[in-house]
Amino acid sequence: MDFRDFYPTEERSPHPRRRSGGELVEAARGAWRILPLEGTFEVVYEDARGAWTTRILDARELKLGPGRTLLGGTDRAHGLYRGLRADRIRRLTEPSSGTRIETGILDWLLTRAEAQRRARRGRTPRQAA
């Protein structure tokens, strides 16, 4: 057995990439699917110990994987990247619009990521064949 069986050299980046026009594109790694997501959210989150915290997150991506989904972005309080499990988010508020979600958070995030994807697709000019 070779080490490449465990660490393939030809895999795509786990983070969304930008094309030359600044357009975000989806990336995949293994069984994970990564959807670009932009926005600022105030998140009430329950950590592994059961403690609830409130975080302001500048979202970058939604990672869909086997058995869990992560909302990834920069935590404004610490300036560090955080991946928050969607099933542990108890409340999500979007300060810019005042939208407050307490149930169906994952569905709302997926819908928003899809709407942003469609909007990005509509903004990019198509090239003639």
Side-chain angles (χ1 to χ4, degrees):
M1 213 176 256
D2 196 321
F3 76 95
R4 287 179 187 83
D5 294 335
F6 296 101
Y7 301 104
T9 56
E10 304 222 4
E11 53 183 53
R12 292 186 268 172
S13 169
H15 301 291
R17 300 180 318 257
R18 292 191 185 268
R19 289 191 181 149
S20 58
E23 174 191 3
L24 286 172
V25 294
E26 292 181 21
R29 182 177 185 177
W32 288 84
R33 181 173 175 216
I34 300 172
L35 303 173
L37 177 68
E38 296 175 355
T40 300
F41 305 113
E42 181 181 66
V43 177
V44 175
Y45 184 74
E46 183 179 359
D47 67 13
R49 295 173 297 169
W52 288 34
T53 59
T54 301
R55 303 170 189 268
I56 296 180
L57 192 74
D58 292 324
R60 281 186 31 196
E61 60 199 8
L62 195 60
K63 294 181 177 183
L64 307 167
R68 73 178 52 160
T69 301
L70 302 174
L71 172 61
T74 306
D75 184 354
R76 282 197 178 173
H78 304 288
L80 300 173
Y81 180 86
R82 298 285 306 188
L84 304 177
R85 285 181 48 177
D87 62 328
R88 291 187 179 166
I89 297 173
R90 301 298 172 223
R91 183 175 62 232
L92 184 132
T93 306
E94 185 179 28
S96 63
S97 68
T99 303
R100 181 177 168 160
I101 310 291
E102 293 186 8
T103 59
I105 293 170
L106 178 57
D107 294 333
W108 187 84
L109 288 169
L110 287 169
T111 302
R112 181 165 172 116
E114 180 63 23
Q116 288 180 359
R117 185 185 67 81
R118 277 193 233 120
R120 280 190 299 274
R121 183 184 295 167
R123 284 189 300 203
T124 58
R126 295 188 179 214
Q127 295 179 358

